[in-house]
Amino acid sequence: MGINLSKGQRIDLTKTNHGLTKVIVGLGWDTNRYHGGYDFDLDASAFLTDANSRVVQDADFIFYNNLVDPSGAVEHTGDNRTGEGDGDDEQIRIDFSKVPSHVHRIAITVTIHDADARNQNFGQVSNAFVRLVDEETDREVLRFDLGEDFSVETAVVICEVYRHNGEWKFNAVGSGFAGGLAALCRNFGLEV
């Protein structure tokens, strides 16, 4: 069993886990039953940013319509439109050995598709988590449970993996945004 992190906690990845180069970032959630008439469709995304937390090129924004970055370092394994079942609902693979030198951070986010039109928000989502797994050994390195801190937010920066002194670290962010995916894109310097 991996380490359980709290919001704001940072942990070293590659220095203490020798040989860790390929990881799977697994994201999961449950939706509370409510009478809105719509299913929930949560979407994981990855923003590959420079040292100033800005995405340099559109191709460094990984989501359901752009599953792999140009270097092949970051890959979204595909959109899950229901979140049904146990375990990971969506996964993003990262190969640290392929991450281009201009990328200093990889921010992992989850947004609610069509949240405004469907009148949905993260207050209606429970048991949201992120876990990081060593792809080669299938060992869970760490887990961060988001808790129930959100009410009106439609997007959450769950965590980030970042480069520091040649090593990779993990930061349990847990920051909510109103305005969904568009607000996140603007936050990371992308035109919407």
Side-chain angles (χ1 to χ4, degrees), residues 44-49 52-58 60-64 107 109-111 154-157 177-192:
S45 303
F47 293 86
L48 285 58
T49 72
N52 300 314
S53 295
R54 305 315 262 175
V55 174
V56 177
Q57 57 186 355
D58 287 351
D60 285 343
F61 167 42
I62 307 307
F63 67 117
Y64 54 83
T109 68
V110 175
T111 54
T154 55
V156 178
V157 177
F177 283 77
L181 191 56
L184 283 179
C185 287
R186 285 190 291 275
N187 179 65
F188 290 111
L190 288 168
E191 298 291 321
V192 179

Side-chain angles (χ1 to χ4, degrees), residues 119-180:
N119 200 21
Q120 296 173 340
N121 59 58
F122 273 95
Q124 298 158 322
V125 175
S126 56
N127 305 320
F129 69 86
V130 60
R131 64 191 196 108
L132 191 132
V133 176
D134 181 336
E135 188 172 332
E136 293 182 6
T137 64
D138 205 32
R139 179 179 67 92
E140 186 175 292
V141 176
L142 62 85
R143 182 182 185 96
F144 169 43
D145 292 304
L146 256 70
E148 311 296 318
D149 295 340
F150 307 104
S151 54
V152 299
E153 294 85 354
T154 55
V156 178
V157 177
I158 295 196
C159 64
E160 62 183 13
V161 179
Y162 64 98
R163 213 188 297 250
H164 181 72
N165 294 335
E167 300 287 350
W168 286 93
K169 296 184 176 256
F170 181 95
N171 180 13
V173 178
S175 291
F177 283 77

